[in-house]
C-alpha cells in the first residue's frame, strides 16, 4: 500500500471544512441563496425574457445529451463535473485568502479557524498563583481553552519588579509579564522581546523589556489594568491576566522561633519553619474582574509555585477565598514536585494542604495533582546537596483531609542545569483529563 500523507492531509482538511462549528459553510450557503435571489429578481424585473431564452438553451442541450448518452452515464458525469468545479472554486478562493492572511503558509487557514472556534468554546478556567509556576501552567492549558483568566499575586518585591515598585510606585509587573508571555499566540519574536532582560547599562541592567514596557503603559493608560490590556492585545494572548488586588501589599511571615520577617523576597532567606503568613495592609480588596471570573469559572486551578510567596498571597484576599469556596466548579491544587528551601523544607503533600486550609479556614479545593515518578538519582543527589527533596505523598493523611489524589507524570528534568520542573504540555494534559472525567461523572449522576 502506498503511503500518501499529502492525500490524508487533504482529506482531513476537507473533513474540517465540512464539520459543524467553524461558521463558514452557513455563510457560503447564504451567499449562494443571495445569488439565486438576485438572478430571480433580475428575471422578474426584465419580464423573464432573457431567462426564457437561457432555459430554452439549457433544455435543448440536456435533451441532446440524454438522447445521445444514457442517463446512468450522463447524470453522474454532470454531477462529478459540478462537484469538481465547486471544489476547485472554493479551494482557489480559500487559497487566495490564506495567502493574504498567512503569507508564511506555516498553518492552513482551516486549522486556524478550527482551533480558534474550538478554543473560544473551551472551558472557563481560572488559574491562581504567581512566579514561574503559573506561567508554566498557562503554557500548557492554553491549548485546551482560550477562556483562561490568570489571577496573579502582586506581593513580589525582588529583582526588576521590586526596583520598579520602589522607584515608580506601581505594582510589581514581573509575574504579570511572565503570564502575558505564556499566553501569547506563538509570536516568537515579540514574546522573546517581552522577556528580554538587559545585562548592561546603568539603570537598565537587570530589568526586563516587558517590565519596562508595562511600566510605560501604566503611565500612558493610567492604570496597571490598562497596561495589561494593551500588552495583551499586542501579543494577542489567549485569555486574560489580572492582578489579584490593585492594593500595594507587602507580605510578612511569622516563624516558629517567633521571628517576623516582612518582604516576599526576604521570607525564603530566613530558613526557619513558617507558621503564619499575612500581608500589610490586611484583608486587601480583590480586583473586581477577578471575583467575576471566579464566579463564572467552570474549572479552578491553584499552583504550581512557591507555597507561601506565590500561592497563599492570593488567598490572603478575603473576597477571593470566599468566591472560590462558593464556586461549584471542580477545584484542584497542583503540588510542587520538590521541597523549596526556606519555604517548604521537609514538607509532605498533606503539609501543603494543611498550610492552605489554615489560611483559608477550611477546605478550598477538591483534588491535588502530584508527580507520580521520582526524578533521576543524579538530580536527587544535586537537590539533596541543597537540602531539597521530593515532596512525599502521604496518602492516608491526604485522604483524611478529604482530598482526591490525582497522580501523573507531569515532570521535566534538565540534566544540564540539574533542575526539575513541571512540563507545560504534560501538566495541561493531566489537568484536563481530570476535569473531563469529573465533568462526565457529574453529567451521569
Amino acid at each position: 500500500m502506498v503511503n500518501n500523507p499529502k492525500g490524508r492531509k487533504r482529506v482531513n482538511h476537507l473533513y474540517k471544512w465540512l464539520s459543524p462549528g467553524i461558521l463558514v459553510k452557513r455563510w457560503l450557503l447564504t451567499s449562494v441563496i443571495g445569488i439565486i435571489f438576485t438572478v430571480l429578481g433580475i428575471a422578474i424585473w426584465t419580464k423573464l425574457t432573457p431567462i426564457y431564452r437561457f432555459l430554452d438553451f439549457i433544455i435543448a442541450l440536456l435533451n441532446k445529451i440524454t438522447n445521445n448518452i444514457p442517463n446512468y452515464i450522463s447524470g453522474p458525469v454532470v454531477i462529478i463535473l459540478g462537484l469538481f468545479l465547486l471544489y476547485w472554486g472554493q479551494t482557489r478562493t480559500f487559497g487566495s485568502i490564506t495567502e493574504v492572511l498567512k503569507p508564511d503558509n506555516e498553518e492552513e487557514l482551516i486549522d486556524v479557524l478550527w482551533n480558534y472556534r474550538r478554543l473560544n468554546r473551551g472551558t472557563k478556567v481560572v488559574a491562581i498563583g504567581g512566579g514561574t509556576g503559573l506561567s508554566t501552567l498557562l503554557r500548557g492549558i492554553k491549548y485546551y481553552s482560550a477562556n483562561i483568566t490568570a489571577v496573579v499575586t502582586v506581593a513580589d518585591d525582588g529583582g526588576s519588579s521590586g526596583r520598579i515598585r520602589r522607584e515608580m510606585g506601581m505594582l510589581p509587573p514581573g509575574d504579570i509579564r511572565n503570564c502575558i508571555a505564556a499566553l501569547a499566540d506563538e509570536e516568537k519574536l515579540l514574546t522573546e522581546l517581552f522577556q528580554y532582560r538587559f545585562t548592561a547599562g546603568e539603570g537598565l541592567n537587570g530589568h526586563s523589556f516587558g517590565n519596562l514596557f508595562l511600566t510605560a503603559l501604566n503611565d500612558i493608560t493610567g492604570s496597571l489594568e490598562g497596561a495589561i490590556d494593551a500588552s495583551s492585545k499586542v501579543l494577542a494572548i489567549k485569555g486574560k491576566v489580572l492582578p489579584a488586588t490593585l492594593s500595594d501589599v507587602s507580605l510578612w511571615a511569622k516563624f516558629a522561633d517567633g521571628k517576623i520577617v516582612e518582604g516576599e523576597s526576604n521570607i525564603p532567606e530566613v530558613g526557619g519553619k513558617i507558621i503564619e503568613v499575612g500581608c500589610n495592609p490586611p484583608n486587601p480588596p480583590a480586583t473586581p474582574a477577578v471575583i467575576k471570573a471566579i464566579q463564572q469559572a467552570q474549572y479552578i486551578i491553584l499552583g504550581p509555585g512557591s507555597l507561601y510567596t506565590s500561592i497563599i498571597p492570593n488567598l490572603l484576599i478575603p473576597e477571593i477565598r470566599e468566591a472560590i469556596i462558593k464556586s461549584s466548579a471542580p477545584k484542584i491544587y497542583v503540588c510542587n514536585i520538590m521541597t523549596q528551601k526556606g519555604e517548604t523544607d521537609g514538607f509532605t503533600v498533606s503539609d501543603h494542604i494543611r498550610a492552605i486550609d489554615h489560611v483559608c479556614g477550611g477546605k478550598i479545593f477538591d483534588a491535588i495533582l502530584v508527580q507520580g515518578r521520582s526524578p533521576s538519582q543524579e538530580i536527587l543527589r544535586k537537590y539533596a546537596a541543597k537540602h531539597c527533596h521530593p515532596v512525599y505523598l502521604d496518602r492516608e493523611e491526604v485522604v483524611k483531609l478529604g482530598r482526591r489524589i490525582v497522580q501523573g507524570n507531569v515532570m521535566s528534568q534538565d540534566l544540564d542545569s540539574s533542575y526539575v520542573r513541571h512540563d507545560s504540555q504534560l501538566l495541561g494534559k493531566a489537568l484536563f483529563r481530570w476535569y473531563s472525567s469529573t465533568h462526565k461523572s457529574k453529567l451521569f449522576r
Side-chain angles (χ1 to χ4, degrees):
M1 186 178 290
V2 178
N3 189 15
N4 186 5
K6 287 186 177 179
R8 286 200 302 272
K9 188 176 180 181
R10 200 176 292 115
V11 170
N12 186 42
H13 286 158
L14 181 61
Y15 164 75
K16 286 181 178 179
W17 279 118
L18 295 175
S19 63
I22 59 171
L23 304 181
V24 170
K25 298 179 298 300
R26 68 190 66 179
W27 302 120
L28 287 176
L29 181 61
T30 302
S31 300
V32 171
I33 294 171
I35 292 170
I36 293 171
F37 272 100
T38 302
V39 172
L40 287 174
I42 292 171
I44 294 169
W45 196 7
T46 58
K47 297 182 180 180
L48 303 178
T49 305
I51 300 298
Y52 279 136
R53 291 176 183 170
F54 179 70
L55 289 176
D56 287 341
F57 170 75
I58 293 295
I59 292 169
L61 180 63
L62 289 175
N63 284 331
K64 195 167 185 178
I65 291 172
T66 53
N67 288 332
N68 291 284
I69 305 172
N71 63 339
Y72 60 83
I73 295 176
S74 58
V77 167
V78 173
I79 290 172
I80 291 169
L81 179 62
L83 290 174
F84 169 74
L85 291 173
L86 179 63
Y87 173 76
W88 186 36
Q90 294 305 315
T91 302
R92 298 293 295 179
T93 300
F94 289 120
S96 300
I97 296 171
T98 303
E99 284 181 18
V100 175
L101 295 179
K102 296 190 73 62
D104 53 4
N105 204 30
E106 289 180 0
E107 191 177 7
E108 294 285 345
L109 179 62
I110 180 57
D111 291 325
V112 176
L113 288 170
W114 179 275
N115 286 326
Y116 177 82
R117 295 297 178 193
R118 177 179 63 83
L119 293 173
N120 278 277
R121 292 196 302 266
T123 307
K124 293 180 180 178
V125 184
V126 171
I128 303 171
T132 57
L134 182 57
S135 57
T136 299
L137 169 71
L138 297 175
R139 286 189 189 93
I141 65 174
K142 73 177 182 181
Y143 296 105
Y144 296 87
S145 176
N147 294 315
I148 300 169
T149 300
V151 179
V152 189
T153 177
V154 288
D156 188 9
D157 63 359
S160 172
S161 291
R163 287 166 60 190
I164 289 173
R165 184 176 184 176
R166 290 187 295 272
E167 295 170 13
M168 305 296 294
M170 68 173 281
L171 295 177
D175 288 351
I176 291 168
R177 180 201 80 240
N178 285 331
C179 291
I180 291 173
L183 290 173
D185 189 22
E186 300 305 327
E187 294 292 339
K188 192 171 184 295
L189 183 60
L190 275 175
T191 305
E192 286 180 358
L193 175 64
F194 210 63
Q195 294 289 68
Y196 175 78
R197 192 173 294 276
F198 295 94
T199 56
E202 188 178 350
L204 283 176
N205 188 25
H207 279 302
S208 73
F209 175 83
N211 283 359
L212 298 177
F213 187 70
L214 284 167
T215 303
L217 282 175
N218 182 72
D219 285 344
I220 292 169
T221 62
S223 69
L224 181 60
E225 285 181 293
I228 294 169
D229 186 55
S231 300
S232 300
K233 288 176 181 175
V234 169
L235 291 178
I237 74 167
K238 294 181 174 76
K240 295 184 292 185
V241 178
L242 297 172
T245 180
L246 296 174
S247 297
D248 184 15
V249 296
S250 176
L251 200 63
W252 59 263
K254 184 178 181 181
F255 292 82
D257 61 2
K259 189 175 185 179
I260 297 176
V261 174
E262 187 166 350
E264 180 266 345
S265 61
N266 297 324
I267 292 170
E269 301 300 320
V270 175
K273 181 177 175 58
I274 299 171
I275 60 171
E276 189 178 355
V277 289
C279 64
N280 290 319
N283 303 324
T287 303
V290 169
I291 302 305
K292 185 178 178 182
I294 294 172
Q295 290 170 345
Q296 296 176 349
Q298 296 171 304
Y299 190 14
I300 298 174
I301 305 169
L302 288 88
S306 301
L307 178 62
Y308 287 107
T309 54
S310 291
I311 310 300
I312 287 178
N314 296 288
L315 304 176
L316 295 174
I317 302 169
E319 291 170 283
I320 291 181
R321 291 199 305 266
E322 292 163 10
I324 295 172
I325 291 169
K326 289 178 182 177
S327 173
S328 60
K331 290 162 275 194
I332 191 168
Y333 170 59
V334 182
C335 191
N336 289 343
I337 299 170
M338 307 294 292
T339 60
Q340 184 176 355
K341 189 177 180 182
E343 284 202 41
T344 56
D345 299 277
F347 265 45
T348 63
V349 172
S350 67
D351 288 328
H352 279 256
I353 297 172
R354 289 190 189 93
I356 293 174
D357 286 356
H358 176 70
V359 170
C360 298
K363 182 178 175 182
I364 200 170
F365 56 87
D366 312 305
I368 185 162
L369 176 63
V370 295
Q371 167 63 21
R373 194 171 59 204
S374 179
S376 68
Q377 290 299 315
E378 182 183 348
I379 287 184
L380 286 176
R381 283 194 296 270
K382 291 181 178 179
Y383 266 95
K386 301 173 186 175
H387 306 288
C388 296
H389 307 277
V391 178
Y392 174 68
L393 174 58
D394 45 346
R395 289 180 177 274
E396 292 184 5
E397 291 299 314
V398 173
V399 172
K400 285 179 184 177
L401 292 169
R403 290 343 192 266
R404 180 180 172 184
I405 299 168
V406 181
Q407 272 190 284
N409 181 29
V410 292
M411 174 184 67
S412 66
Q413 303 181 72
D414 190 335
L415 295 174
D416 293 330
S417 61
S418 303
Y419 278 129
V420 168
R421 293 285 184 265
H422 281 98
D423 181 279
S424 295
Q425 292 186 356
L426 294 175
L427 185 57
K429 185 177 180 180
L431 285 168
F432 272 87
R433 187 189 296 125
W434 178 75
Y435 172 77
S436 179
S437 65
T438 305
H439 189 59
K440 285 178 183 176
S441 65
K442 282 185 177 181
L443 289 176
F444 289 103
R445 279 178 188 172

